[in-house]
Each structure stands twice: as C-alpha cells, then as structure tokens.
Amino acid sequence: GAVVSQHPSWVICKSGTSVKIECRSLDFQATTMFWYRQFPKQSLMLMATSNEGSKATYEQGVEKDKFLINHASLTLSTLTVTSAHPEDSSFYICSSRPPGGRDYGYTFGSGTRLTVV
Amino acid sequence: QQQVKQSPQSLIVQKGGISIINCAYENTAFDYFPWYQQFPGKGPALLIAIRPDVSEKKEGRFTISFNKSAKQFSLHIMDSQPGDSATYFCAAGLSGQGAQKLVFGQGTRLTINP
C-alpha cells in the first residue's frame, strides 16, 4: 500500500529558531500533500495543501510566512516552521494518496511532535 | 456545510462488547467516508472506508453502516479488544480526480476494559 514517511518523529528546538519537517511518498507520486496540525485530545486541523511545482494553498488563519511549505518534487514535501515559539508546539502530520483510480485511501505520515522551548 | 459531527466524545466498552461511534455530515456532495484509528503519538491509520452506493461494509471486526437519506454513518467494532483502545476519527470527502481534502470529525476516545 501507499506509504508516507515523515521525519523527524520528534524535535525540540529553541524559541526563535526554524524547524523543517519532511514527508516523502515511498511508493507513489504524491502530486498533492496535506499538512495537518493536531493539539492534544483534538481533531486534525488542516493547515495547508501543497501541490508539486506550485505554491501551497493555506487554510484561513494559517500564517503562510510562519509555516513555509515546499513541494519541489513528486515524492517530497517539506514544512518549515520559522521563528518558532512555544505556541507552535504541536503534533504535525502530513497526508497524501496515490493519484487516479478507485484507490481513495489517504495515507498519513507518522507525525512529528514539535516542542519549542 | 463542511462539518462532520462525531459522537460520543469518549466511550468505554467491556472486552468482547460492541463499540459504536456515530457521525453525521451536511454536504451531500461528499462521496467518500473513511474511518481512521490513531494511537498516541502516531499518525492516523485508515481502518475502513465506504462510498454512498452501499449501505454497509464489513472488514473483519469493523463494520461501517451508512444511511444516505439521514446523512449519517457509523463504525461498529465487534468483539472489542483492549488493543482497540485508541482515538477514532470519521471523515468525509470527495473522490473526484485529484486529491481532495478530507473533513474530519472531532474524534472519539475509545477505551476497552479488560
């Protein structure tokens, strides 16, 4: 089945620094990658949708200059949290699915726990 | 119109019992309804999904029941086991060409008591 590999699984960074999270599709071409944020005991909140070779589409209220998304290839999408602050601490998850056909299964990465200190 | 409402928020079931989680949607254009299971510190994993042309789909101990007229669907876990203890999310989306975003329910924290 389709696999999305997400790294790192956890990261601790100092306030004011930037952190990059990578998501790779291992066995399919991910033309679109969804980036979610999840707070403890809450549902997934869609942050942005990235499309290979074009600018990401951000959901309302998400700062595009703080959460930089790059989708330069069909197998790699990255989320960079810039000038991180403690309120950016959260669980970040990416998701994609193989294009076409009747396979509608969206696959999620394993998530990245970001702690900003 | 994009909301998916999920209930209950939490559920405790005895081992061997049936766990039932319900979801309701508003957008009649949705045609893909998956259920995800999430363990702490992990990403969601697809459990089972259904499309509106069928009223029920079963995979092992997991069954989705779908009521198109009521715009509701539910997950039934038969013979619930302690290993099923996790958070479950329903979702709804469009299955057209290209990747379409999913709308998620609020989640149900399921605890199976041994």
Side-chain angles (χ1 to χ4, degrees), chain A residues 6-115:
Chain A
Q6 184 171 348
H7 294 281
S9 56
W10 60 270
V11 58
I12 300 174
C13 71
K14 290 185 177 181
S15 187
T17 61
S18 296
V19 173
K20 180 184 285 187
I21 300 169
E22 292 188 350
C23 276
R24 295 181 183 273
S25 56
L26 298 186
D27 47 6
F28 68 98
Q29 293 184 329
T31 55
T32 301
M33 190 74 75
F34 299 99
W35 288 93
Y36 293 86
R37 183 174 184 176
Q38 186 178 34
F39 290 106
K41 299 183 181 180
Q42 292 190 23
S43 188
L44 290 80
M45 183 190 78
L46 181 65
M47 299 174 63
T49 302
S50 72
N51 294 291
E52 185 268 336
S54 64
K55 289 185 177 180
T57 302
Y58 291 81
E59 296 298 304
Q60 191 174 9
V62 177
E63 300 176 59
K64 61 178 67 176
D65 293 331
K66 165 164 277 295
F67 300 100
L68 299 179
I69 291 174
N70 183 281
H71 196 150
S73 79
L74 287 172
T75 59
L76 175 64
S77 177
T78 62
L79 167 67
T80 301
V81 183
T82 64
S83 187
H85 287 91
E87 57 265 30
D88 298 324
S89 298
S90 190
F91 193 56
Y92 294 88
I93 319 170
C94 59
S95 175
S96 186
R97 72 165 181 171
R102 290 173 66 84
D103 177 4
Y104 304 117
Y106 287 77
T107 297
F108 283 81
S110 54
T112 297
R113 171 73 59 194
L114 170 63
T115 302

Side-chain angles (χ1 to χ4, degrees), chain B residues 21-101:
Chain B
I21 305 171
N22 301 296
C23 283
Y25 63 98
E26 299 174 352
N27 187 349
T28 55
F30 287 145
D31 62 354
Y32 173 63
F33 303 91
W35 284 90
Y36 286 87
Q37 178 188 58
Q38 185 180 30
F39 292 105
K42 302 295 183 182
L46 179 65
L47 258 183
I48 185 172
I50 197 169
R51 293 189 306 122
D53 50 353
V54 296
S55 61
E56 186 176 283
K57 182 176 182 180
K58 182 176 181 180
E59 290 184 1
R61 296 185 294 111
F62 302 93
T63 300
I64 298 180
S65 296
F66 185 83
N67 186 329
K68 187 174 181 178
S69 60
K71 293 186 288 185
Q72 295 176 348
F73 58 110
S74 60
L75 175 69
H76 292 62
I77 305 175
M78 313 300 288
D79 187 27
S80 299
Q81 299 296 312
D84 297 330
S85 297
T87 299
Y88 292 80
F89 293 96
C90 63
L94 302 172
S95 62
Q97 282 295 324
Q100 307 282 347
K101 62 183 179 182

